[in-house]
């Protein structure tokens, strides 16, 4: 999986994102992008305030797409301490897990220590199958599948079918590629000058 | 509010043919909320109104929105005019002048010009301003409020808490304050007495104007059940910020204190003719 992630810049809606109707509208837009692209960077750079009602509506819409069957990843970036605190409150209330960029690493909001441990192992392994992860964590396969499903629902992991599987379906899991995520997070809003000249 | 009794005042030519309302000595906090009842009474005053602020000793953001509401209500009637006599205290004059936007009074309103315009103070972040459009809201809350807060040394988390509360209160006022004769008002100021950073939104809607403490308790319960803004403000403690949320509608009063994380509800005699929501960040 090396497709460049699409980015949704919430600061384009304003620096203070406070109301439920605004969250609902943002949720519709963000969910549509996630549904189209399979991977989305939810960017809060430039947002000073994102209130729990706004985030509640946004997360409900995005969660609907994440639970839709097809495996997608969703990463949040650019949160200040207040936005992060509001996000923690909302994901806790919705009983969901959310992957957030913290400096160069992905951390989980609303997570348990077991999920955090699993994500850490996933990062170390890069790309892996469930049996490989089970061996790495010294856990039984059903327990690993449970953790993997939770991380898939959070959008913290991606999954594709293993083409080499001979019996039934087997998935290959991977964490969002760090360099692609960082590049997408740093992408300027305006087109590059060279693109303008050649257009 | 009582007519002026002072003989000199009665003889003052400026005061002839006007209805006179005395702003009293204190237009701050609960006193401002109580005063709103008389200053904004349903009875239509004479076309020419004089607000006598000469005796004013204390005023804050609550007083700012109340006085501005009086101005807006009165000049909403075509042909009406309001004159405001400036406080005799230099510091109070400076604060009131800033709270009402300095020279930017609404059309039909004027200062009495008994004093020179006060130099700009350093307490008022956002003067009492009508929120008529989405653009007004966005420019005040996204830009003016944090910029002014940072300039007065209230940046970071206090500024963001002030912005969030201003946005939530404004949204509620514009959504639930229907039937109001004038747009809701926003004012943000640093109160010299309490050292609190105040954000106040006042709407003249009917929803809670006839309410009481029980009505406010129900409003908070509905907000909590639906994950609304008021409940979310009070839901968790912002690290480094002690704050209170104050609500006033009709006879009802409510206060949330982040230090003990509790709401308290009460009823008072003076009715607020509308709904006032405020955040006070304690220093």
């Amino acid at each position: 999986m090396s497709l460049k992630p699409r980015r949704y810049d919430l600061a384009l809606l304003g620096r203070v994102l406070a109301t439920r109707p605004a969250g609902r509208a943002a949720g519709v837009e963000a969910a549509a992008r996630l549904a189209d692209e399979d991977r989305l960077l939810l960017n809060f750079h430039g947002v000073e305030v994102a209130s729990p009602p706004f985030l509640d509506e946004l997360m409900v819409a995005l969660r609907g797409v994440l639970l839709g069957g097809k495996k997608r990843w969703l990463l949040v970036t650019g949160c200040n301490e207040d936005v992060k605190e509001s996000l923690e409150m909302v994901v806790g209330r919705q009983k969901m897990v959310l992957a957030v960029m913290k400096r160069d690493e992905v951390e989980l909001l609303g997570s348990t220590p077991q999920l955090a441990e699993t994500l850490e192992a996933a990062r170390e392994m890069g790309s892996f199958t469930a049996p490989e992860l089970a061996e790495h964590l010294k856990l039984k396969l059903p327990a690993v599948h449970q953790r993997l499903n939770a991380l898939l629902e959070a959008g913290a992991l991606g999954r594709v079918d293993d083409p080499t599987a001979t019996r039934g379906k087997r998935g290959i899991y991977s964490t969002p590629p760090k360099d692609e995520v960082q590049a997408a997070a740093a992408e300027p809003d305006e087109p590059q000058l060279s693109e303008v000249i050649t257009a | 509010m009582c007519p002026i009794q002072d003989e000199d005042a009665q003889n003052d030519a400026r005061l002839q043919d006007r209805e006179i309302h005395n702003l009293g000595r204190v237009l701050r906090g609960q006193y401002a909320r109580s005063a709103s009842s008389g200053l904004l009474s349903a009875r239509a005053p004479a076309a020419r109104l004089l607000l006598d602020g000469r005796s004013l000793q204390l005023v804050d953001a609550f007083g700012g929105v109340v006085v501005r509401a009086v101005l807006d209500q009165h000049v909403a009637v075509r042909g009406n005019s309001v004159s405001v006599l400036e406080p005799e205290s230099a510091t109070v004059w400076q604060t009131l002048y800033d709270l009402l936007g300095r020279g930017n009074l609404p059309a039909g309103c004027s200062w009495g010009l008994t004093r020179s315009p006060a130099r700009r103070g350093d307490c008022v972040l956002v003067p009492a301003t009508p929120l008529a459009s989405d653009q007004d809201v966005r420019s005040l809350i996204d830009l003016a409020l944090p910029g002014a807060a940072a300039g007065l040394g209230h940046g970071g988390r206090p500024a963001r808490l002030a912005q969030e509360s201003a946005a939530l209160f404004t949204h509620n006022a514009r959504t639930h304050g229907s039937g109001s004769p004038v747009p809701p008002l926003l004012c943000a100021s640093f109160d010299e007495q309490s050292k609190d950073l105040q954000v106040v939104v006042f709407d003249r809607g009917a929803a809670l104007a006839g309410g009481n403490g029980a009505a406010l308790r129900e409003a908070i319960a509905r907000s909590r059940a639906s994950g609304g803004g008021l409940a979310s403000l009070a839901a968790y403690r912002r690290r480094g910020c002690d704050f209170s949320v104050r609500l006033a509608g009709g006879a009802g009063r409510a206060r949330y204190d982040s230090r003990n994380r509790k709401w308290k509800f009460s009823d008072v005699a003076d009715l607020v003719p509308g709904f006032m929501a405020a955040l006070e960040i304690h220093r």
Side-chain angles (χ1 to χ4, degrees):
Chain A
M1 286 199 290
S2 58
L3 294 172
K4 198 171 178 187
R6 199 163 173 198
R7 199 177 73 186
Y8 185 63
D9 295 324
L10 284 141
L12 295 176
L13 306 176
R15 293 187 188 178
V16 178
L17 307 175
T19 70
R20 209 167 263 284
R24 207 168 294 133
V28 166
E29 277 187 15
R33 290 199 190 188
L34 181 61
D36 280 345
E37 299 286 334
D38 296 347
R39 46 188 60 206
L40 185 69
L41 201 61
L42 200 60
N43 185 19
F44 282 90
H45 279 297
V47 172
E48 291 295 319
V49 171
S51 75
F54 176 93
L55 292 171
D56 201 47
E57 294 289 339
L58 179 64
M59 288 300 133
V60 160
L62 287 168
R63 195 176 183 205
V65 176
L66 288 172
L67 294 175
K70 193 174 176 186
K71 298 309 169 197
R72 300 173 166 88
W73 64 252
L74 171 71
L75 264 186
V76 174
T77 187
C79 299
N80 63 33
E81 54 190 335
D82 283 325
V83 171
K84 189 179 169 195
E85 191 174 89
S86 297
L87 265 174
E88 274 175 322
M89 182 181 160
V90 166
V91 299
R93 197 162 55 205
Q94 291 195 16
K95 293 188 175 25
M96 64 183 286
V97 179
L98 192 63
V100 177
M101 286 294 293
K102 184 182 175 183
R103 294 191 192 90
D104 291 345
E105 300 296 336
V106 174
E107 69 170 18
L108 296 176
L109 293 187
S111 169
T112 60
Q114 291 81 10
L115 276 185
E117 175 198 38
T118 309
L119 183 63
E120 182 59 34
R123 271 204 292 265
E124 287 168 12
M125 297 175 73
S127 178
F128 53 90
T129 62
E132 289 167 350
L133 184 64
E135 188 181 332
H136 184 87
L137 290 172
K138 313 236 180 310
L139 289 174
K140 292 200 165 78
L141 206 51
V144 164
H145 274 298
Q146 201 172 39
R147 294 185 184 191
L148 285 173
N149 284 338
L151 290 173
L152 285 170
E153 281 178 11
L157 283 184
R159 181 192 181 280
V160 293
D161 287 335
D162 182 357
T164 66
T166 53
R167 290 169 62 182
K169 271 191 173 180
R170 187 170 63 199
I172 298 179
Y173 299 86
S174 61
T175 53
K178 190 193 294 189
D179 52 348
E180 288 176 18
V181 170
Q182 287 170 345
E187 191 179 280
D189 293 327
E190 301 301 320
Q192 296 291 342
L193 184 59
S194 59
E195 292 171 21
V196 171
I197 289 171
T198 57
Chain B
M1 293 293 105
C2 56
I4 290 179
Q5 300 297 324
D6 184 271
E7 191 174 320
D8 288 341
Q10 287 180 337
N11 291 334
D12 190 326
R14 292 165 305 171
L15 307 178
Q16 301 302 323
D17 301 324
R18 289 174 186 262
E19 182 158 337
I20 302 162
H21 285 192
N22 195 325
L23 294 180
R25 293 173 58 83
V26 180
L27 264 184
R28 178 179 172 267
Q30 62 172 335
Y31 298 99
R33 294 188 285 275
S34 295
S36 67
S37 173
L39 284 169
L40 291 163
S41 67
R43 178 184 64 82
R48 286 153 55 96
L49 178 65
L50 182 81
L51 294 182
D52 187 352
R54 290 177 294 180
S55 305
L56 206 52
Q57 296 294 315
L58 290 170
V59 68
D60 65 358
F62 291 95
V65 295
V66 169
V67 177
R68 179 61 197 245
V70 174
L71 302 184
D72 287 347
Q73 175 177 282
H74 195 68
V75 298
V77 175
R78 196 184 177 93
N80 280 2
S81 65
V82 185
S83 187
V84 185
L85 288 184
E86 299 87 348
E88 285 169 355
S89 157
T91 49
V92 178
W93 164 221
Q94 181 184 65
T95 303
L96 183 67
Y97 193 55
D98 289 345
L99 282 170
L100 295 182
R102 301 180 64 76
N104 296 321
L105 294 180
C109 302
S110 60
W111 293 105
L113 297 179
T114 59
R115 303 182 64 124
S116 309
R119 65 174 177 81
R120 188 181 296 276
D122 54 9
C123 289
V124 176
L125 279 64
V126 175
T129 308
L131 300 165
S133 69
D134 291 342
Q135 192 169 350
D136 291 340
V137 173
R138 192 156 166 174
S139 70
L140 282 174
I141 295 175
D142 279 22
L143 301 171
L145 179 54
L152 295 181
H154 302 293
R157 303 205 85 171
R160 292 197 288 265
L161 182 54
Q163 284 179 281
E164 183 171 346
S165 65
L168 290 168
F169 297 159
T170 298
H171 172 72
N172 285 346
R174 298 179 80 208
T175 303
H176 304 298
S178 60
S180 173
V182 290
L185 295 167
L186 164 68
C187 184
S189 179
F190 174 72
D191 180 45
E192 285 274 3
Q193 289 282 310
S194 62
K195 309 300 180 196
D196 289 343
L197 181 61
Q198 298 174 325
V199 176
V200 182
V201 172
F202 181 30
D203 76 76
R204 300 293 312 284
L208 282 162
N212 54 16
L216 290 180
R217 189 189 294 272
E218 281 172 27
I220 294 299
R222 279 197 303 273
S223 180
R224 200 177 281 132
S226 63
L230 280 179
S232 73
L233 263 186
Y236 56 100
R237 185 188 169 111
R238 311 289 180 126
R239 286 193 298 274
C241 288
D242 285 329
F243 63 92
S244 295
V245 177
R246 289 188 188 273
L247 308 176
R253 302 289 184 268
R255 183 188 178 193
Y256 173 83
D257 186 338
S258 70
R259 287 167 286 203
N260 60 26
R261 307 186 75 178
K262 283 190 166 107
W263 281 97
K264 283 190 181 172
F265 301 90
S266 60
D267 291 281
V268 301
D270 294 309
L271 306 180
V272 168
F275 187 68
M276 205 178 281
L279 175 90
E280 293 172 319
I281 300 177
H282 311 302
R283 307 284 281 181

